Amino acid sequence: MWPTLFPYLIALVLLFCDLITGAPTCNTPSNRACWSPGFSVNTDYEASTPLTGVTRRYLLTITEVDNWVGGDGRVKKKAMLINDWGDRISVTVVNQLRNNGTSIHWHGIRMLRNCINDGANGVTECPIPPGRSKTYTFLAEQYGTSWYHSHFSSQYGNGVVGSIQINGPASLPYDIDLGVFPISDWYYGAVDQVQLRVSDPNNPAVPGIPGAPPPSDNVLFNGTNINPTGPGGSYYKVKLTPGKRHLLRLINPSVENNFVVSLVNHQMTVIANDFVPINSFTTSSLFMGIGQRYDVTIDASQPVGNYWFNVTFSNTGACGTSVNPAPAAIFSYNGAPNTLPTVTGAPPTESRCADAYGFVPIVSRTAPLTEFTPAANNLPVNLEINTAISKVLWKVNSSSMNVIWEKPTLQFVSEGDANYPTTENLIKLPNSNVWSVWIIQNLSPIPHPMHLHGHDFLVLGQSPALANPFAGAPRPFNPATDTPGLQLKNPRRRDVSMLPGFGWLAVAFKTDNPGAWLFHCHIAWHASQGLSVQFLERVREIPGAMNLNDIKPNCDAWRAYVPTAVWPKLDSGL
């Protein structure tokens, strides 16, 4: 199978059910740290969750639209799931695409002992065939901001994406929750056609540079923006109330663009990165890798007026470019005139495509190195231009991941079949409740936003980002000199972190969640080209943790559909 070859958007329609969210008794504008009796921002949500007894049900229908006019001409359809910490969430996904499967991944959701609902086709399930549906059910064990998206090849770049808001406590008081604010790259062509060019060394998207992505055609703020090359569209506007503190939930659900965000003449105070509450940290700008989220507060303390909210790309050219040279939205104080802002603001500090630092999780974790062997726990990443098969591939440990849609990893587990193909890129983690430490070594100049399913990970360390990665060379992790510098006590913790160009990233997670969990680059082109591994965690416990028979009906439907499928599978499947 392959995502739609019809131009433009695969649109989402979401029907809201039971969206009334009553405020907890102790969570007030002056005390956001409290949530409900016995639960606060200091609660370790991996140890304790306030079960509400509420199930919020949603219907999500994926349809196909030809010649869709995007968010810089008309606002595309958007979908958002709003829930409370401790709710059970049930989403029925209906596939009304003409000739393509789909699956929906709930980005950052821990899915404790519930890998079967993770939504990674070829790993945790078969794709949902056209005309069929599947219901995903999971607990809102964490709280904060995230998103959901198709994991069927690069399909989410055609619009199969939406936001998740799980209400919970916060480390800083605020008056007004502005809700989610997704900022995403946008491509006028169908992303599958772009993907084919990016992956074709004989006809690359950028002439003479196989594997290089084209610039995005635009960057959309909550689904809209002006047309950067002509008439059409409008700036997205956010309203601020003078004298009030606002919570803004930032999301980067892009295909390829990583960027810095800033609000002219205002500071942002970060209170959560991904799903992890942190001690408040104030900054004038934030780098956002693909898949990353930040909950920030903004004080409306400036003179009443209109202010640019800017997206800025790295001057290195290594982690995203756009036809729109200066993507922006407008933050407008109540009472301001309906005019464009007049102050452009100073450019933010050059990011070099590097993660923001300085975030201290409120709930502490410490990772010992007792299970760490640098030579064995090393995952080298390299780019291969294979003209013999006309493919551009990303490889981890010399293998490009290529899942089997008809037989996902959990089916291997269900059948007791341990003959996993090499291209499943499977790493076995049999031991319980130990810290698994990994060094990802980048042998290319391109930074990668690395995302882990089923866990938050501790970022133990990263090599410094290069000012000019294209003129650099690999900087391997040196066990003798780099191991002592790893931060083991309460380092940054999140589910997406940047792997620097020609550098390394050290991460650790505890093997406390049986399942098959993807670890992949979140640049859609790179995941499609194989830049993934999967951790098979505590495999003997998986059948007892979830009902693996639940995958059978959808897989039977998919296998029945395959003989009549129009499009062959042309990439990793992810």
Side-chain angles (χ1 to χ4, degrees):
M1 291 311 108
W2 188 247
T4 178
L5 290 177
F6 293 90
Y8 309 126
L9 180 71
I10 300 175
L12 289 182
V13 179
L14 179 66
L15 303 182
F16 292 93
C17 302
D18 191 20
L19 272 183
I20 300 172
T21 55
T25 55
C26 62
N27 188 264
T28 64
S30 62
N31 182 16
R32 296 293 186 183
C34 185
W35 183 245
S36 62
F39 295 92
S40 72
V41 74
N42 296 302
T43 302
D44 183 351
Y45 57 58
E46 291 187 1
S48 185
T49 300
L51 301 178
T52 65
V54 174
T55 297
R56 302 194 185 273
R57 303 183 188 279
Y58 304 88
L59 176 66
L60 192 156
T61 302
I62 305 175
T63 58
E64 193 165 315
V65 180
D66 296 340
N67 301 310
W68 178 269
V69 178
D72 45 10
R74 300 177 187 172
V75 178
K76 70 176 180 179
K77 296 185 189 297
K78 300 180 293 296
M80 181 172 67
L81 310 186
I82 304 178
N83 312 276
D84 283 340
W85 185 20
D87 287 349
R88 186 159 295 280
I89 301 166
S90 178
V91 187
T92 297
V93 176
V94 180
N95 182 1
Q96 291 186 356
L97 301 176
R98 299 165 190 155
N99 299 304
N100 290 280
T102 195
S103 70
I104 301 297
H105 170 58
W106 316 95
H107 184 106
I109 300 292
R110 189 181 180 206
M111 297 291 178
L112 180 64
R113 303 180 71 84
N114 192 24
C115 176
I116 200 167
N117 282 290
D118 189 53
N121 50 210
V123 178
T124 64
E125 64 181 81
C126 297
I128 306 167
R132 300 297 292 248
S133 65
K134 176 178 177 174
T135 298
Y136 298 86
T137 303
F138 52 93
L139 180 67
E141 181 181 347
Q142 304 129 294
Y143 56 86
T145 306
S146 198
W147 59 302
Y148 60 90
H149 60 85
S150 169
H151 230 305
F152 186 90
S153 299
S154 52
Q155 189 179 75
Y156 84 80
N158 278 334
V160 188
V161 62
S163 300
I164 299 173
Q165 177 177 323
I166 302 175
N167 298 320
S171 61
L172 202 66
Y174 61 86
D175 301 297
I176 299 169
D177 188 342
L178 296 171
V180 295
F181 196 52
I183 307 168
S184 179
D185 55 12
W186 186 245
Y187 298 84
Y188 295 154
V191 293
D192 52 287
Q193 295 178 348
V194 179
Q195 178 69 60
L196 287 172
R197 294 286 304 278
V198 173
S199 299
D200 186 351
N202 301 314
N203 185 27
V206 178
I209 312 178
S216 65
D217 291 299
N218 208 347
V219 173
L220 304 183
F221 298 81
N222 230 348
T224 192
N225 201 351
I226 61 165
N227 180 353
T229 59
S234 60
Y235 288 108
Y236 188 82
K237 290 188 177 181
V238 175
K239 284 290 186 179
L240 300 179
T241 301
K244 298 295 185 181
R245 176 173 291 169
H246 303 74
L247 173 64
L248 185 68
R249 301 167 180 270
L250 297 165
I251 310 170
N252 181 357
S254 293
V255 169
E256 193 272 338
N257 284 182
N258 307 268
F259 43 70
V260 171
V261 297
S262 58
L263 177 59
V264 172
N265 290 347
H266 291 73
Q267 298 284 92
M268 296 179 287
T269 300
V270 186
I271 60 173
N273 65 181
D274 298 346
F275 269 135
V276 179
I278 65 168
N279 293 320
S280 57
F281 177 88
T282 300
T283 182
S284 59
S285 63
L286 274 172
F287 176 82
M288 298 194 69
I290 299 168
Q292 291 183 336
R293 296 89 65 206
Y294 288 102
D295 290 355
V296 303
T297 64
I298 298 171
D299 289 340
S301 57
Q302 297 300 307
V304 170
N306 300 306
Y307 298 85
W308 289 118
F309 185 94
N310 294 315
V311 158
T312 307
F313 294 103
S314 170
N315 292 325
T316 65
C319 59
T321 59
S322 180
V323 172
N324 188 342
I330 297 173
F331 279 51
S332 180
Y333 280 60
N334 289 328
N338 188 22
T339 58
L340 296 179
T342 57
V343 177
T344 57
T349 302
E350 165 60 44
S351 70
R352 297 186 180 181
C353 309
D355 276 334
Y357 289 82
F359 304 134
V360 180
I362 290 173
V363 176
S364 181
R365 299 274 190 274
T366 297
L369 296 180
T370 52
E371 302 290 325
F372 177 49
T373 306
N377 293 57
N378 191 288
L379 298 175
V381 173
N382 68 287
L383 177 67
E384 178 182 289
I385 311 297
N386 193 323
T387 55
I389 59 172
S390 297
K391 289 280 188 180
V392 174
L393 300 171
W394 283 98
K395 294 189 171 185
V396 184
N397 265 347
S398 302
S399 177
S400 178
M401 191 164 183
N402 188 4
V403 300
I404 304 170
W405 281 341
E406 292 78 19
K407 188 175 181 179
T409 304
L410 289 186
Q411 184 175 334
F412 279 85
V413 175
S414 176
E415 296 174 354
D417 183 355
N419 296 312
Y420 304 101
T422 301
T423 53
E424 292 285 336
N425 282 14
L426 191 140
I427 299 170
K428 297 178 181 179
L429 301 177
N431 297 325
S432 302
N433 298 314
V434 298
W435 283 98
S436 187
V437 181
W438 295 90
I439 304 296
I440 306 93
Q441 176 71 56
N442 193 352
L443 305 180
S444 85
I446 304 300
H448 301 281
M450 300 300 297
H451 170 54
L452 178 62
H453 293 211
H455 295 271
D456 294 329
F457 53 70
L458 279 62
V459 183
L460 305 184
Q462 289 159 300
S463 51
L466 296 173
N468 184 5
F470 295 105
R475 297 166 292 158
F477 180 85
N478 185 319
T481 58
D482 290 327
T483 301
L486 296 180
Q487 183 181 350
L488 306 180
K489 185 176 181 180
N490 204 26
R492 287 172 292 143
R493 189 168 77 250
R494 58 190 320 160
D495 57 64
V496 181
S497 190
M498 296 300 293
L499 170 61
F502 282 136
W504 54 266
L505 167 68
V507 301
F509 61 93
K510 196 173 186 178
T511 57
D512 56 7
N513 194 4
W517 304 112
L518 274 177
F519 184 43
H520 65 94
C521 174
H522 223 301
I523 296 172
W525 317 136
H526 296 175
S528 177
Q529 293 163 336
L531 207 169
S532 307
V533 298
Q534 57 177 313
F535 293 109
L536 187 60
E537 184 175 340
R538 295 163 60 171
V539 63
R540 292 182 179 179
E541 298 175 52
I542 293 175
M546 63 206 76
N547 185 359
L548 293 178
N549 289 329
D550 286 348
I551 68 175
K552 188 176 186 301
N554 186 63
C555 279
D556 286 346
W558 176 256
R559 286 188 286 266
Y561 165 74
V562 168
T564 64
V566 174
W567 308 114
K569 177 174 174 289
L570 298 175
D571 68 349
S572 72
L574 298 168

